[in-house]
Amino acid sequence: MTLTLFIAAIVLMALGFPVAFALAMSAALAVFVGGRYPQLVVFKEMFTGIDSFPLMAVPFFILAAELMSGGALTAVLLRFAAQFVGHLRGGLGYANVLSLTLFSGISGSALADAAGPGSMMVKMMDKAGYSRAYAAALTSSTAIVGPIIPPSISMIIYAMQDEQVSVGGLFIAGFVPGLLIALAMAFVNWRVCKKRDYRSTEPRPSAREMLVNSVKAIPALMLIVLILVGIRFGIFTPTEASVVAVFYALACGKWVYRTLEWKALPDIISRSALLTASVLLVMATSAAFAWVLTVEGVPQQLSQTIVSWNLSPVAFLIAVNLLLLVFGIFMEPLPGVMILVPILAPIASALGIDPTHFAMVVIVNLTLGMITPPVGGLLFVTAVSTRVSMAALTRELPPFLVAHFVVLALLTFVPAISTWLPHTLGF
């Protein structure tokens, strides 16, 4: 069954099947070839994989992000970010990084960040004389901060697979790595803009304009504060926090910014439902795929094999990084978390690796796969939304990938980057 499972999944994805369909079809084929279980078990495991109360946070966080976007949040954050750096050399590039980082604290989705504020920034950079392909590469490379800075859908799913970590703890742990990635992208932007002489034509705003823009941005920025403070002090659970976020976003869009119209709600809800369905479908099929691996004893065999190598914690982390980098080229982060975490997390714990540290290494590593050719789902979304060819976009990626790998190395070998803040706050 195991051989059939992997061969079928690889062939189907190579043929261009969506990941969810490839996982479901390979699981069904493996069960059919094995002959020990009825085909119905695949559908049972798909349902079991999404039959979870914590998963209710996913559609609500997605809906909150859509409501904030529909309520002019994107424009508010863009003005807020651009006023600090827009007048500098490469200023719109810095504004791109800053605005996407701020928006990450609301959306939790790299795809939403790239398709929303990211595409708007690419248009602005193109008009200012930047290479459109460079602007698109900067956008896709920065957008992966979305699943790392809370609220993050990947973190919610990870906490479901490893009981040693909590959603709140992972949310807090994502701050420093997310900010490091943003700083790394800003550094690459500085180097490229200096080399290509991308000068800013934006005038420096007056003190009064900066004050007005900052005050307008406060309600939007308070959403992430509300979520984290509420979770930290036990006011509500992460699932309840997602519902609070929806009502807060609705109130901001309708009564604070006064740009959200009631007639826009059906479209916002339908987009949220479509995105939620795609996320849950991937999770459901990943659960069926993981079940086949479990009944075949693959996790146990792999664990015993790795333990028998007597690897040190550092050697194990290096091996895991190499595995995840290869795995992430062909697989999206969510199925990666669903399939690999139940296998790798217990081994990491047995070696004495901090569960929060290991979780952040896995999440950041798998998220990098979204901008790693040839699959890179985030690259396709960015290319389509910005109308840049994949070839041109890929040519601009190398300096950004190098910066990401440097941050990943720091995260791997300096555990305090991901553990200091959650431990200090009592998680």
Side-chain angles (χ1 to χ4, degrees):
M1 284 174 64
T2 304
L3 186 61
T4 302
L5 182 75
F6 282 111
I7 292 177
I10 293 171
V11 170
L12 288 171
M13 282 189 282
L15 292 175
F17 279 76
V19 172
F21 290 96
L23 293 177
M25 294 168 68
S26 58
L29 183 60
V31 170
F32 174 77
V33 172
R36 300 199 305 264
Y37 305 95
Q39 287 289 303
L40 189 62
V41 74
V42 175
F43 297 98
K44 171 188 172 295
E45 293 303 323
M46 288 175 62
F47 177 80
T48 303
I50 57 175
D51 184 20
S52 171
F53 178 75
L55 268 184
M56 291 181 64
V58 173
F60 286 114
F61 275 131
I62 291 174
L63 178 57
E66 289 288 342
L67 285 170
M68 292 295 270
S69 297
L73 170 71
T74 302
V76 169
L77 290 183
L78 283 178
R79 284 196 298 269
F80 175 72
Q83 69 181 358
F84 296 108
V85 292
H87 60 282
L88 303 174
R89 175 186 293 189
L92 286 180
Y94 297 129
N96 192 336
V97 173
L98 184 54
S99 61
L100 285 176
T101 303
L102 293 173
F103 200 79
S104 297
I106 296 163
S107 71
S109 168
L111 300 180
D113 292 352
S119 62
M120 293 176 62
M121 283 303 308
V122 170
K123 293 176 183 176
M124 292 172 62
M125 293 175 70
D126 182 39
K127 290 181 180 178
Y130 292 73
S131 161
R132 195 175 183 89
Y134 167 73
L138 176 62
T139 294
S140 59
S141 299
T142 307
I144 69 167
V145 175
I148 298 170
I149 287 183
S152 165
I153 295 172
S154 295
M155 291 177 182
I156 297 172
I157 307 307
Y158 190 103
M160 292 175 57
Q161 307 305 312
D162 184 3
E163 296 180 352
Q164 299 178 89
V165 296
S166 66
V167 174
L170 291 182
F171 277 5
I172 296 295
F175 265 113
V176 177
L179 292 177
L180 275 179
I181 291 175
L183 289 174
M185 297 304 99
F187 175 77
V188 173
N189 179 69
W190 172 75
R191 290 289 304 271
V192 173
C193 290
K194 183 179 180 181
K195 180 180 179 180
R196 301 182 184 180
D197 197 27
Y198 287 148
R199 295 186 176 272
S200 176
T201 57
E202 294 288 322
R204 185 165 189 167
S206 65
R208 183 179 181 279
E209 289 175 328
M210 294 182 70
L211 179 61
V212 170
N213 290 335
S214 299
V215 170
K216 286 184 177 180
I218 289 175
L221 297 174
M222 283 299 295
L223 176 58
I224 184 61
V225 177
L226 174 68
I227 293 171
L228 293 179
V229 170
I231 293 175
R232 172 62 185 88
F233 291 99
I235 301 173
F236 37 67
T237 66
T239 303
E240 293 166 345
S242 65
V243 180
V244 171
V246 169
F247 284 100
Y248 182 85
L250 181 62
C252 279
K254 183 61 181 176
W255 293 291
V256 177
Y257 296 118
R258 298 182 180 181
T259 53
L260 182 63
E261 300 291 338
W262 292 122
K263 62 183 179 181
L265 287 182
D267 186 48
I268 289 174
I269 293 173
S270 66
R271 289 201 307 270
S272 302
L274 184 62
L275 183 55
T276 298
S278 64
V279 171
L280 294 183
L281 183 60
V282 169
M283 289 192 59
T285 55
S286 298
F289 189 93
W291 176 84
V292 176
L293 293 178
T294 302
V295 297
E296 288 296 292
V298 174
Q300 296 84 349
Q301 295 171 17
L302 184 58
S303 299
Q304 292 172 3
T305 301
I306 295 176
V307 170
S308 68
W309 292 344
N310 294 318
L311 296 175
S312 67
V314 172
F316 173 72
L317 286 173
I318 293 174
V320 167
N321 272 321
L322 294 175
L323 169 66
L324 295 180
L325 286 172
V326 174
F327 189 89
I329 292 176
F330 305 100
M331 189 72 72
E332 294 294 314
L334 290 185
V337 169
M338 293 279 293
I339 294 169
L340 294 177
V341 170
I343 300 173
L344 299 175
I347 304 174
S349 180
L351 291 173
I353 299 172
D354 187 287
T356 301
H357 172 218
F358 185 72
M360 291 311 304
V361 170
V362 171
I363 291 171
V364 171
N365 199 316
L366 287 175
T367 304
L368 281 179
M370 300 181 75
I371 59 168
T372 306
V375 179
L378 185 55
L379 297 180
F380 285 100
V381 170
T382 306
V384 171
S385 62
T386 60
R387 298 180 181 178
V388 174
S389 70
M390 275 294 294
L393 176 57
T394 304
R395 282 195 296 269
E396 296 281 1
L397 276 178
F400 296 106
L401 291 176
V402 170
H404 278 300
F405 292 144
V406 170
V407 173
L408 179 60
L410 288 173
L411 185 63
T412 301
F413 299 120
V414 186
I417 292 176
S418 53
T419 60
W420 171 76
L421 190 56
H423 289 176
T424 300
L425 295 178
F427 283 95

